Amino acid sequence: VGYLLIFYTPIVWVLASPLVISEEPKVSDVIVVLGGGVGESGKAGQGYEERVKQAVELYKKGYAKHIIFSSGYTHIFKETLVMKALAVSLGVPESAIILENRASNTYESILCAKEIAGKERWKSIVLLSSPYHMLRVSKIFAKVGGDIAVSYTPIPESSFYTHSTKGIFTRKVNVSQIGGIVHEYLGILYYWWKGWI
């Protein structure tokens, strides 16, 4: 019964729903894109592409004139360099892109983005990450963001979190997705313990 409840009902997604914060983007000074690293999937390169494509779309629609790619992760190449190369290939000028390579976690990414915004005198950002990462991001920003206005705008669809909503005997969640959601709740608990949120 427990197995059926976990894997063949939407209960996991119901329990995960408080992690998602999704707001309409507002015209801002900069779009901040948090790199994927190994992220929720546990595999390098699984999250950055979706985030970059969403950032490029928002940039082209005029939501901001600048993009910050933030990630200290390196897998063969620095993740931010790969993100920049993709954005440029999709039509964003290099002059509009700022790379932040120092951050080793979400907390440091937010601090570094805030530092860059302060130097540039930017007061508003569109913050982009994966859907189930946004609660932790928002809690960090609430603590350290100061007077910067933030639109929390996750990617609209994550291939990692794609799941079926149809059919009573259709599997609704897999072990990797459960792991990603548990990882996020544990991340929030750890950040609270560290005093970061």
PDB file of all heavy atoms in Angstrom, residues 38-73:
ATOM      1  N   VAL A  38      25.473  19.762 -10.007  1.00  0.00           N
ATOM      2  CA  VAL A  38      24.886  18.422 -10.106  1.00  0.00           C
ATOM      3  C   VAL A  38      23.422  18.472  -9.705  1.00  0.00           C
ATOM      4  O   VAL A  38      22.654  17.564 -10.004  1.00  0.00           O
ATOM      5  CB  VAL A  38      25.647  17.383  -9.256  1.00  0.00           C
ATOM      6  CG1 VAL A  38      27.031  17.173  -9.804  1.00  0.00           C
ATOM      7  CG2 VAL A  38      25.707  17.782  -7.797  1.00  0.00           C
ATOM      8  N   GLY A  39      23.034  19.554  -9.022  1.00  0.00           N
ATOM      9  CA  GLY A  39      21.631  19.835  -8.742  1.00  0.00           C
ATOM     10  C   GLY A  39      20.830  18.663  -8.223  1.00  0.00           C
ATOM     11  O   GLY A  39      21.337  17.748  -7.591  1.00  0.00           O
ATOM     12  N   GLU A  40      19.543  18.704  -8.508  1.00  0.00           N
ATOM     13  CA  GLU A  40      18.623  17.696  -7.982  1.00  0.00           C
ATOM     14  C   GLU A  40      18.813  16.331  -8.615  1.00  0.00           C
ATOM     15  O   GLU A  40      18.485  15.313  -8.039  1.00  0.00           O
ATOM     16  CB  GLU A  40      17.178  18.162  -8.167  1.00  0.00           C
ATOM     17  CG  GLU A  40      16.769  18.447  -9.593  1.00  0.00           C
ATOM     18  CD  GLU A  40      17.046  19.869 -10.039  1.00  0.00           C
ATOM     19  OE1 GLU A  40      17.240  20.738  -9.196  1.00  0.00           O
ATOM     20  OE2 GLU A  40      17.072  20.098 -11.269  1.00  0.00           O
ATOM     21  N   SER A  41      19.371  16.307  -9.832  1.00  0.00           N
ATOM     22  CA  SER A  41      19.512  15.027 -10.532  1.00  0.00           C
ATOM     23  C   SER A  41      20.727  14.248 -10.064  1.00  0.00           C
ATOM     24  O   SER A  41      20.808  13.040 -10.273  1.00  0.00           O
ATOM     25  CB  SER A  41      19.624  15.265 -12.043  1.00  0.00           C
ATOM     26  OG  SER A  41      20.857  15.886 -12.353  1.00  0.00           O
ATOM     27  N   GLY A  42      21.685  14.937  -9.443  1.00  0.00           N
ATOM     28  CA  GLY A  42      22.921  14.280  -9.047  1.00  0.00           C
ATOM     29  C   GLY A  42      23.894  14.088 -10.203  1.00  0.00           C
ATOM     30  O   GLY A  42      24.943  13.484 -10.057  1.00  0.00           O
ATOM     31  N   LYS A  43      23.563  14.640 -11.379  1.00  0.00           N
ATOM     32  CA  LYS A  43      24.417  14.506 -12.559  1.00  0.00           C
ATOM     33  C   LYS A  43      24.724  15.875 -13.130  1.00  0.00           C
ATOM     34  O   LYS A  43      23.841  16.725 -13.244  1.00  0.00           O
ATOM     35  CB  LYS A  43      23.723  13.652 -13.625  1.00  0.00           C
ATOM     36  CG  LYS A  43      23.471  12.219 -13.187  1.00  0.00           C
ATOM     37  CD  LYS A  43      22.750  11.447 -14.278  1.00  0.00           C
ATOM     38  CE  LYS A  43      22.456  10.020 -13.824  1.00  0.00           C
ATOM     39  NZ  LYS A  43      21.697   9.272 -14.839  1.00  0.00           N
ATOM     40  N   ALA A  44      25.981  16.084 -13.501  1.00  0.00           N
ATOM     41  CA  ALA A  44      26.390  17.360 -14.067  1.00  0.00           C
ATOM     42  C   ALA A  44      25.690  17.626 -15.389  1.00  0.00           C
ATOM     43  O   ALA A  44      25.438  16.713 -16.168  1.00  0.00           O
ATOM     44  CB  ALA A  44      27.905  17.358 -14.282  1.00  0.00           C
ATOM     45  N   GLY A  45      25.389  18.899 -15.636  1.00  0.00           N
ATOM     46  CA  GLY A  45      24.847  19.304 -16.927  1.00  0.00           C
ATOM     47  C   GLY A  45      23.383  19.024 -17.136  1.00  0.00           C
ATOM     48  O   GLY A  45      22.875  19.160 -18.241  1.00  0.00           O
ATOM     49  N   GLN A  46      22.646  18.673 -16.091  1.00  0.00           N
ATOM     50  CA  GLN A  46      21.238  18.323 -16.261  1.00  0.00           C
ATOM     51  C   GLN A  46      20.306  19.522 -16.115  1.00  0.00           C
ATOM     52  O   GLN A  46      19.167  19.450 -16.518  1.00  0.00           O
ATOM     53  CB  GLN A  46      20.851  17.257 -15.236  1.00  0.00           C
ATOM     54  CG  GLN A  46      21.584  15.943 -15.410  1.00  0.00           C
ATOM     55  CD  GLN A  46      20.815  14.948 -16.242  1.00  0.00           C
ATOM     56  OE1 GLN A  46      19.631  14.749 -16.042  1.00  0.00           O
ATOM     57  NE2 GLN A  46      21.477  14.326 -17.181  1.00  0.00           N
ATOM     58  N   GLY A  47      20.789  20.609 -15.500  1.00  0.00           N
ATOM     59  CA  GLY A  47      19.867  21.694 -15.224  1.00  0.00           C
ATOM     60  C   GLY A  47      20.162  23.012 -15.906  1.00  0.00           C
ATOM     61  O   GLY A  47      19.267  23.810 -16.138  1.00  0.00           O
ATOM     62  N   TYR A  48      21.431  23.239 -16.285  1.00  0.00           N
ATOM     63  CA  TYR A  48      21.792  24.579 -16.749  1.00  0.00           C
ATOM     64  C   TYR A  48      21.121  24.953 -18.069  1.00  0.00           C
ATOM     65  O   TYR A  48      20.752  26.110 -18.280  1.00  0.00           O
ATOM     66  CB  TYR A  48      23.315  24.709 -16.884  1.00  0.00           C
ATOM     67  CG  TYR A  48      23.874  24.112 -18.157  1.00  0.00           C
ATOM     68  CD1 TYR A  48      23.936  24.856 -19.328  1.00  0.00           C
ATOM     69  CD2 TYR A  48      24.326  22.793 -18.182  1.00  0.00           C
ATOM     70  CE1 TYR A  48      24.435  24.309 -20.495  1.00  0.00           C
ATOM     71  CE2 TYR A  48      24.820  22.244 -19.344  1.00  0.00           C
ATOM     72  CZ  TYR A  48      24.885  23.000 -20.501  1.00  0.00           C
ATOM     73  OH  TYR A  48      25.361  22.457 -21.661  1.00  0.00           O
ATOM     74  N   GLU A  49      20.942  23.992 -18.964  1.00  0.00           N
ATOM     75  CA  GLU A  49      20.432  24.313 -20.300  1.00  0.00           C
ATOM     76  C   GLU A  49      19.026  24.904 -20.233  1.00  0.00           C
ATOM     77  O   GLU A  49      18.725  25.914 -20.887  1.00  0.00           O
ATOM     78  CB  GLU A  49      20.439  23.063 -21.184  1.00  0.00           C
ATOM     79  CG  GLU A  49      20.104  23.356 -22.626  1.00  0.00           C
ATOM     80  CD  GLU A  49      20.265  22.131 -23.517  1.00  0.00           C
ATOM     81  OE1 GLU A  49      20.943  21.170 -23.128  1.00  0.00           O
ATOM     82  OE2 GLU A  49      19.675  22.151 -24.615  1.00  0.00           O
ATOM     83  N   GLU A  50      18.154  24.293 -19.430  1.00  0.00           N
ATOM     84  CA  GLU A  50      16.783  24.800 -19.299  1.00  0.00           C
ATOM     85  C   GLU A  50      16.791  26.216 -18.719  1.00  0.00           C
ATOM     86  O   GLU A  50      16.031  27.083 -19.150  1.00  0.00           O
ATOM     87  CB  GLU A  50      15.974  23.890 -18.376  1.00  0.00           C
ATOM     88  CG  GLU A  50      15.772  22.487 -18.916  1.00  0.00           C
ATOM     89  CD  GLU A  50      15.179  21.544 -17.880  1.00  0.00           C
ATOM     90  OE1 GLU A  50      15.440  21.705 -16.672  1.00  0.00           O
ATOM     91  OE2 GLU A  50      14.440  20.642 -18.293  1.00  0.00           O
ATOM     92  N   ARG A  51      17.665  26.446 -17.751  1.00  0.00           N
ATOM     93  CA  ARG A  51      17.722  27.754 -17.098  1.00  0.00           C
ATOM     94  C   ARG A  51      18.238  28.827 -18.058  1.00  0.00           C
ATOM     95  O   ARG A  51      17.716  29.943 -18.090  1.00  0.00           O
ATOM     96  CB  ARG A  51      18.612  27.663 -15.851  1.00  0.00           C
ATOM     97  CG  ARG A  51      18.105  26.647 -14.849  1.00  0.00           C
ATOM     98  CD  ARG A  51      19.027  26.516 -13.653  1.00  0.00           C
ATOM     99  NE  ARG A  51      18.660  25.326 -12.856  1.00  0.00           N
ATOM    100  CZ  ARG A  51      19.018  25.136 -11.614  1.00  0.00           C
ATOM    101  NH1 ARG A  51      19.756  26.037 -10.982  1.00  0.00           N
ATOM    102  NH2 ARG A  51      18.653  24.051 -10.967  1.00  0.00           N
ATOM    103  N   VAL A  52      19.268  28.485 -18.818  1.00  0.00           N
ATOM    104  CA  VAL A  52      19.820  29.450 -19.768  1.00  0.00           C
ATOM    105  C   VAL A  52      18.785  29.806 -20.831  1.00  0.00           C
ATOM    106  O   VAL A  52      18.598  30.985 -21.164  1.00  0.00           O
ATOM    107  CB  VAL A  52      21.106  28.908 -20.421  1.00  0.00           C
ATOM    108  CG1 VAL A  52      21.560  29.817 -21.558  1.00  0.00           C
ATOM    109  CG2 VAL A  52      22.212  28.777 -19.379  1.00  0.00           C
ATOM    110  N   LYS A  53      18.105  28.806 -21.364  1.00  0.00           N
ATOM    111  CA  LYS A  53      17.106  29.075 -22.408  1.00  0.00           C
ATOM    112  C   LYS A  53      15.992  29.969 -21.883  1.00  0.00           C
ATOM    113  O   LYS A  53      15.518  30.879 -22.588  1.00  0.00           O
ATOM    114  CB  LYS A  53      16.530  27.756 -22.935  1.00  0.00           C
ATOM    115  CG  LYS A  53      17.504  26.998 -23.819  1.00  0.00           C
ATOM    116  CD  LYS A  53      16.908  25.693 -24.337  1.00  0.00           C
ATOM    117  CE  LYS A  53      17.869  24.991 -25.273  1.00  0.00           C
ATOM    118  NZ  LYS A  53      17.325  23.698 -25.766  1.00  0.00           N
ATOM    119  N   GLN A  54      15.564  29.750 -20.639  1.00  0.00           N
ATOM    120  CA  GLN A  54      14.540  30.607 -20.051  1.00  0.00           C
ATOM    121  C   GLN A  54      15.067  32.021 -19.856  1.00  0.00           C
ATOM    122  O   GLN A  54      14.364  33.007 -20.120  1.00  0.00           O
ATOM    123  CB  GLN A  54      14.078  30.017 -18.715  1.00  0.00           C
ATOM    124  CG  GLN A  54      13.084  30.874 -17.945  1.00  0.00           C
ATOM    125  CD  GLN A  54      11.699  30.910 -18.580  1.00  0.00           C
ATOM    126  OE1 GLN A  54      11.475  30.309 -19.634  1.00  0.00           O
ATOM    127  NE2 GLN A  54      10.792  31.623 -17.951  1.00  0.00           N
ATOM    128  N   ALA A  55      16.308  32.152 -19.419  1.00  0.00           N
ATOM    129  CA  ALA A  55      16.911  33.474 -19.237  1.00  0.00           C
ATOM    130  C   ALA A  55      16.996  34.228 -20.558  1.00  0.00           C
ATOM    131  O   ALA A  55      16.695  35.428 -20.626  1.00  0.00           O
ATOM    132  CB  ALA A  55      18.300  33.339 -18.611  1.00  0.00           C
ATOM    133  N   VAL A  56      17.389  33.520 -21.603  1.00  0.00           N
ATOM    134  CA  VAL A  56      17.485  34.145 -22.927  1.00  0.00           C
ATOM    135  C   VAL A  56      16.116  34.619 -23.395  1.00  0.00           C
ATOM    136  O   VAL A  56      15.968  35.727 -23.930  1.00  0.00           O
ATOM    137  CB  VAL A  56      18.107  33.159 -23.952  1.00  0.00           C
ATOM    138  CG1 VAL A  56      17.971  33.703 -25.371  1.00  0.00           C
ATOM    139  CG2 VAL A  56      19.561  32.885 -23.601  1.00  0.00           C
ATOM    140  N   GLU A  57      15.109  33.801 -23.173  1.00  0.00           N
ATOM    141  CA  GLU A  57      13.742  34.188 -23.565  1.00  0.00           C
ATOM    142  C   GLU A  57      13.309  35.454 -22.829  1.00  0.00           C
ATOM    143  O   GLU A  57      12.753  36.376 -23.436  1.00  0.00           O
ATOM    144  CB  GLU A  57      12.780  33.040 -23.269  1.00  0.00           C
ATOM    145  CG  GLU A  57      11.356  33.316 -23.734  1.00  0.00           C
ATOM    146  CD  GLU A  57      10.415  32.146 -23.487  1.00  0.00           C
ATOM    147  OE1 GLU A  57      10.882  30.989 -23.459  1.00  0.00           O
ATOM    148  OE2 GLU A  57       9.202  32.413 -23.319  1.00  0.00           O
ATOM    149  N   LEU A  58      13.560  35.506 -21.527  1.00  0.00           N
ATOM    150  CA  LEU A  58      13.188  36.696 -20.749  1.00  0.00           C
ATOM    151  C   LEU A  58      13.987  37.916 -21.199  1.00  0.00           C
ATOM    152  O   LEU A  58      13.455  39.030 -21.277  1.00  0.00           O
ATOM    153  CB  LEU A  58      13.398  36.438 -19.255  1.00  0.00           C
ATOM    154  CG  LEU A  58      12.497  35.382 -18.617  1.00  0.00           C
ATOM    155  CD1 LEU A  58      12.893  35.143 -17.160  1.00  0.00           C
ATOM    156  CD2 LEU A  58      11.030  35.791 -18.692  1.00  0.00           C
ATOM    157  N   TYR A  59      15.267  37.710 -21.487  1.00  0.00           N
ATOM    158  CA  TYR A  59      16.117  38.807 -21.978  1.00  0.00           C
ATOM    159  C   TYR A  59      15.561  39.367 -23.284  1.00  0.00           C
ATOM    160  O   TYR A  59      15.440  40.584 -23.459  1.00  0.00           O
ATOM    161  CB  TYR A  59      17.549  38.309 -22.161  1.00  0.00           C
ATOM    162  CG  TYR A  59      18.461  39.325 -22.809  1.00  0.00           C
ATOM    163  CD1 TYR A  59      19.105  40.294 -22.040  1.00  0.00           C
ATOM    164  CD2 TYR A  59      18.678  39.315 -24.186  1.00  0.00           C
ATOM    165  CE1 TYR A  59      19.932  41.237 -22.638  1.00  0.00           C
ATOM    166  CE2 TYR A  59      19.500  40.252 -24.791  1.00  0.00           C
ATOM    167  CZ  TYR A  59      20.130  41.215 -24.007  1.00  0.00           C
ATOM    168  OH  TYR A  59      20.943  42.156 -24.604  1.00  0.00           O
ATOM    169  N   LYS A  60      15.218  38.475 -24.211  1.00  0.00           N
ATOM    170  CA  LYS A  60      14.724  38.913 -25.516  1.00  0.00           C
ATOM    171  C   LYS A  60      13.370  39.600 -25.422  1.00  0.00           C
ATOM    172  O   LYS A  60      13.026  40.431 -26.262  1.00  0.00           O
ATOM    173  CB  LYS A  60      14.655  37.719 -26.473  1.00  0.00           C
ATOM    174  CG  LYS A  60      16.026  37.232 -26.930  1.00  0.00           C
ATOM    175  CD  LYS A  60      15.913  36.098 -27.924  1.00  0.00           C
ATOM    176  CE  LYS A  60      17.268  35.714 -28.478  1.00  0.00           C
ATOM    177  NZ  LYS A  60      17.181  34.598 -29.460  1.00  0.00           N
ATOM    178  N   LYS A  61      12.607  39.255 -24.390  1.00  0.00           N
ATOM    179  CA  LYS A  61      11.309  39.907 -24.177  1.00  0.00           C
ATOM    180  C   LYS A  61      11.450  41.241 -23.462  1.00  0.00           C
ATOM    181  O   LYS A  61      10.460  41.937 -23.231  1.00  0.00           O
ATOM    182  CB  LYS A  61      10.380  38.988 -23.389  1.00  0.00           C
ATOM    183  CG  LYS A  61       9.874  37.800 -24.195  1.00  0.00           C
ATOM    184  CD  LYS A  61       8.929  36.928 -23.372  1.00  0.00           C
ATOM    185  CE  LYS A  61       8.370  35.787 -24.204  1.00  0.00           C
ATOM    186  NZ  LYS A  61       7.494  34.890 -23.390  1.00  0.00           N
ATOM    187  N   GLY A  62      12.668  41.603 -23.089  1.00  0.00           N
ATOM    188  CA  GLY A  62      12.923  42.913 -22.510  1.00  0.00           C
ATOM    189  C   GLY A  62      12.757  43.019 -21.007  1.00  0.00           C
ATOM    190  O   GLY A  62      12.632  44.122 -20.470  1.00  0.00           O
ATOM    191  N   TYR A  63      12.804  41.896 -20.304  1.00  0.00           N
ATOM    192  CA  TYR A  63      12.648  41.949 -18.844  1.00  0.00           C
ATOM    193  C   TYR A  63      13.887  42.496 -18.139  1.00  0.00           C
ATOM    194  O   TYR A  63      13.790  42.978 -17.013  1.00  0.00           O
ATOM    195  CB  TYR A  63      12.288  40.566 -18.296  1.00  0.00           C
ATOM    196  CG  TYR A  63      10.840  40.218 -18.520  1.00  0.00           C
ATOM    197  CD1 TYR A  63      10.471  39.348 -19.542  1.00  0.00           C
ATOM    198  CD2 TYR A  63       9.842  40.776 -17.730  1.00  0.00           C
ATOM    199  CE1 TYR A  63       9.131  39.031 -19.767  1.00  0.00           C
ATOM    200  CE2 TYR A  63       8.505  40.472 -17.942  1.00  0.00           C
ATOM    201  CZ  TYR A  63       8.156  39.598 -18.956  1.00  0.00           C
ATOM    202  OH  TYR A  63       6.829  39.294 -19.177  1.00  0.00           O
ATOM    203  N   ALA A  64      15.040  42.414 -18.785  1.00  0.00           N
ATOM    204  CA  ALA A  64      16.266  42.996 -18.222  1.00  0.00           C
ATOM    205  C   ALA A  64      17.291  43.137 -19.347  1.00  0.00           C
ATOM    206  O   ALA A  64      17.219  42.456 -20.365  1.00  0.00           O
ATOM    207  CB  ALA A  64      16.823  42.128 -17.102  1.00  0.00           C
ATOM    208  N   LYS A  65      18.260  44.033 -19.125  1.00  0.00           N
ATOM    209  CA  LYS A  65      19.299  44.266 -20.124  1.00  0.00           C
ATOM    210  C   LYS A  65      20.603  43.527 -19.798  1.00  0.00           C
ATOM    211  O   LYS A  65      21.564  43.605 -20.565  1.00  0.00           O
ATOM    212  CB  LYS A  65      19.588  45.763 -20.243  1.00  0.00           C
ATOM    213  CG  LYS A  65      18.394  46.546 -20.794  1.00  0.00           C
ATOM    214  CD  LYS A  65      18.716  48.018 -20.925  1.00  0.00           C
ATOM    215  CE  LYS A  65      17.524  48.778 -21.497  1.00  0.00           C
ATOM    216  NZ  LYS A  65      17.790  50.231 -21.606  1.00  0.00           N
ATOM    217  N   HIS A  66      20.615  42.842 -18.664  1.00  0.00           N
ATOM    218  CA  HIS A  66      21.819  42.130 -18.242  1.00  0.00           C
ATOM    219  C   HIS A  66      21.435  40.761 -17.677  1.00  0.00           C
ATOM    220  O   HIS A  66      20.345  40.588 -17.135  1.00  0.00           O
ATOM    221  CB  HIS A  66      22.571  42.923 -17.175  1.00  0.00           C
ATOM    222  CG  HIS A  66      22.875  44.328 -17.578  1.00  0.00           C
ATOM    223  ND1 HIS A  66      23.958  44.671 -18.344  1.00  0.00           N
ATOM    224  CD2 HIS A  66      22.200  45.489 -17.321  1.00  0.00           C
ATOM    225  CE1 HIS A  66      23.957  45.969 -18.544  1.00  0.00           C
ATOM    226  NE2 HIS A  66      22.904  46.492 -17.937  1.00  0.00           N
ATOM    227  N   ILE A  67      22.374  39.810 -17.772  1.00  0.00           N
ATOM    228  CA  ILE A  67      22.198  38.475 -17.191  1.00  0.00           C
ATOM    229  C   ILE A  67      23.444  38.139 -16.375  1.00  0.00           C
ATOM    230  O   ILE A  67      24.566  38.311 -16.865  1.00  0.00           O
ATOM    231  CB  ILE A  67      21.995  37.396 -18.271  1.00  0.00           C
ATOM    232  CG1 ILE A  67      20.767  37.687 -19.145  1.00  0.00           C
ATOM    233  CG2 ILE A  67      21.861  36.014 -17.635  1.00  0.00           C
ATOM    234  CD1 ILE A  67      20.611  36.726 -20.326  1.00  0.00           C
ATOM    235  N   ILE A  68      23.230  37.670 -15.156  1.00  0.00           N
ATOM    236  CA  ILE A  68      24.319  37.115 -14.347  1.00  0.00           C
ATOM    237  C   ILE A  68      24.161  35.600 -14.311  1.00  0.00           C
ATOM    238  O   ILE A  68      23.103  35.096 -13.928  1.00  0.00           O
ATOM    239  CB  ILE A  68      24.295  37.646 -12.901  1.00  0.00           C
ATOM    240  CG1 ILE A  68      24.511  39.157 -12.865  1.00  0.00           C
ATOM    241  CG2 ILE A  68      25.349  36.933 -12.044  1.00  0.00           C
ATOM    242  CD1 ILE A  68      24.303  39.765 -11.479  1.00  0.00           C
ATOM    243  N   PHE A  69      25.208  34.875 -14.715  1.00  0.00           N
ATOM    244  CA  PHE A  69      25.242  33.434 -14.532  1.00  0.00           C
ATOM    245  C   PHE A  69      26.115  33.146 -13.316  1.00  0.00           C
ATOM    246  O   PHE A  69      27.291  33.537 -13.286  1.00  0.00           O
ATOM    247  CB  PHE A  69      25.810  32.724 -15.765  1.00  0.00           C
ATOM    248  CG  PHE A  69      24.925  32.818 -16.982  1.00  0.00           C
ATOM    249  CD1 PHE A  69      25.417  33.307 -18.180  1.00  0.00           C
ATOM    250  CD2 PHE A  69      23.602  32.405 -16.924  1.00  0.00           C
ATOM    251  CE1 PHE A  69      24.604  33.388 -19.304  1.00  0.00           C
ATOM    252  CE2 PHE A  69      22.782  32.482 -18.039  1.00  0.00           C
ATOM    253  CZ  PHE A  69      23.285  32.967 -19.234  1.00  0.00           C
ATOM    254  N   SER A  70      25.538  32.478 -12.327  1.00  0.00           N
ATOM    255  CA  SER A  70      26.260  32.236 -11.079  1.00  0.00           C
ATOM    256  C   SER A  70      26.427  30.748 -10.817  1.00  0.00           C
ATOM    257  O   SER A  70      25.451  30.016 -10.678  1.00  0.00           O
ATOM    258  CB  SER A  70      25.512  32.880  -9.904  1.00  0.00           C
ATOM    259  OG  SER A  70      26.163  32.598  -8.682  1.00  0.00           O
ATOM    260  N   SER A  71      27.684  30.302 -10.747  1.00  0.00           N
ATOM    261  CA  SER A  71      27.990  28.916 -10.401  1.00  0.00           C
ATOM    262  C   SER A  71      29.493  28.775 -10.239  1.00  0.00           C
ATOM    263  O   SER A  71      30.260  29.245 -11.086  1.00  0.00           O
ATOM    264  CB  SER A  71      27.507  27.954 -11.491  1.00  0.00           C
ATOM    265  OG  SER A  71      27.959  26.636 -11.216  1.00  0.00           O
ATOM    266  N   GLY A  72      29.910  28.127  -9.174  1.00  0.00           N
ATOM    267  CA  GLY A  72      31.319  27.823  -9.005  1.00  0.00           C
ATOM    268  C   GLY A  72      31.645  26.410  -9.447  1.00  0.00           C
ATOM    269  O   GLY A  72      32.765  25.932  -9.264  1.00  0.00           O
ATOM    270  N   TYR A  73      30.669  25.735 -10.043  1.00  0.00           N
ATOM    271  CA  TYR A  73      30.831  24.323 -10.393  1.00  0.00           C
ATOM    272  C   TYR A  73      31.670  24.168 -11.666  1.00  0.00           C
ATOM    273  O   TYR A  73      31.514  24.928 -12.629  1.00  0.00           O
ATOM    274  CB  TYR A  73      29.466  23.676 -10.598  1.00  0.00           C
ATOM    275  CG  TYR A  73      29.549  22.186 -10.852  1.00  0.00           C
ATOM    276  CD1 TYR A  73      29.827  21.304  -9.814  1.00  0.00           C
ATOM    277  CD2 TYR A  73      29.379  21.668 -12.129  1.00  0.00           C
ATOM    278  CE1 TYR A  73      29.914  19.935 -10.043  1.00  0.00           C
ATOM    279  CE2 TYR A  73      29.472  20.311 -12.367  1.00  0.00           C
ATOM    280  CZ  TYR A  73      29.740  19.449 -11.320  1.00  0.00           C
ATOM    281  OH  TYR A  73      29.843  18.099 -11.554  1.00  0.00           O
TER     282      TYR A  73
END
